Amino acid sequence: MKYIITIILLASSFFTNAQVVDPNYQNLFDLFIMDDYQECYDKAVRMIEKDKHNHKPEPYIFCAKSTMKLAQHVDDFDEKIKLVKSSLKYGAKYVKYKNKLENRTDFDALYQEDIVDLKNTGLEMAVFYIRESNLSKSLYYTKKTCKLMEDKPSIQVLKGLAYLLNRNHREGINILNEGIAGLNSEKIENEMESELVVKYLKAYEKVARSMKKHDKFLVIQKDLKVVVYEDQFNDLMGIK
């Protein structure tokens, strides 16, 4: 298990040749680009602790990037997982504060690849745990990952399913339907997202039965079958 997680983490990388949006954070970029990830992280955290910086997005993205790099270089399994969780947390904070700014597209130009890589790392962890039949841990990583790209339709689908699996039917259905509408019958292209959608759907069938909502499950199943690949859907749902 530890070996697999190590491979998953090493497969995720954060690269950037850009500078920064706010010159006040140039030193964070310099530390990161010189591979001084611990100092970059420590300095960013010290900044976040000050009122002047704690609502600015860039210290958080450098915390996220640095902790992910640190995770790739530690051998202790528990410490590695702790760093990945921190990275997802800081990434979500970055997105939260970035989205409040008028010039958020400037940040997207520099850091969107980092957010995509971070999202993929979170999904890799979610897929790993669902394949290990650990639904609760899989949902943990999915919910953390959803905070990075809440407007993406396929992510909304995953978020909606996570709510449904937590028995929050009303909100889950609303989020799920919004995601399905955003997809507009187009296939979910990301294989990890698609796999999670189908496996969460399968897990939800039992929940729906217990809540006497199996008719709702059948409607959701019909809607989601259109947006995932048919062979994958039939295989994971056990349809021959």
Side-chain angles (χ1 to χ4, degrees), residues 21-22 25 48 53-63 90-91 93-101 103-104 107 111:
V21 176
D22 187 333
Y25 306 115
I48 289 168
H53 301 286
N54 65 7
H55 287 172
K56 300 295 180 69
E58 278 177 300
Y60 292 98
I61 192 62
F62 279 102
C63 278
Y90 286 121
K93 287 278 191 179
Y94 159 78
V95 171
K96 175 183 176 181
Y97 292 122
K98 181 265 293 185
N99 285 344
K100 293 181 178 182
L101 301 176
N103 66 330
R104 53 185 175 270
F107 291 88
Y111 303 115

Side-chain angles (χ1 to χ4, degrees), residues 42-54 59-60 90:
D42 291 341
K43 189 172 187 65
V45 168
R46 289 195 297 270
M47 286 182 164
I48 289 168
E49 291 172 349
K50 299 178 181 179
D51 291 341
K52 179 181 177 181
H53 301 286
N54 65 7
Y60 292 98
Y90 286 121

Side-chain angles (χ1 to χ4, degrees), residues 55-172:
H55 287 172
K56 300 295 180 69
E58 278 177 300
Y60 292 98
I61 192 62
F62 279 102
C63 278
K65 287 153 60 76
S66 296
T67 48
M68 186 57 66
K69 282 292 189 180
L70 291 170
Q72 295 173 16
H73 292 92
V74 298
D75 294 326
D76 182 76
F77 176 74
D78 292 335
E79 182 63 21
K80 191 182 294 289
I81 294 302
K82 181 180 177 180
L83 287 165
V84 172
K85 289 179 178 179
S86 292
S87 189
L88 293 172
K89 177 188 74 174
Y90 286 121
K93 287 278 191 179
Y94 159 78
V95 171
K96 175 183 176 181
Y97 292 122
K98 181 265 293 185
N99 285 344
K100 293 181 178 182
L101 301 176
E102 291 185 1
N103 66 330
R104 53 185 175 270
T105 55
D106 294 340
F107 291 88
D108 291 338
L110 294 184
Y111 303 115
Q112 190 59 22
E113 279 190 37
D114 295 323
I115 293 301
V116 171
D117 286 342
L118 186 58
K119 183 263 295 185
N120 287 336
T121 297
L123 291 180
E124 284 169 356
M125 299 298 293
V127 168
F128 172 79
Y129 280 113
I130 198 66
R131 289 177 179 175
E132 293 287 303
S133 301
N134 192 328
L135 179 62
S136 62
K137 284 192 176 181
S138 180
L139 286 173
Y140 170 87
Y141 283 101
T142 291
K143 287 185 284 187
K144 293 294 183 183
T145 302
C146 285
K147 293 180 180 180
L148 300 170
M149 292 185 174
E150 289 185 315
D151 294 334
K152 184 181 178 185
S154 57
I155 293 297
Q156 289 176 317
V157 169
L158 280 174
K159 184 178 178 181
L161 287 168
Y163 274 72
L164 290 173
L165 285 165
N166 285 328
R167 297 176 178 268
N168 187 338
H169 192 268
R170 179 176 297 178
E171 193 166 2

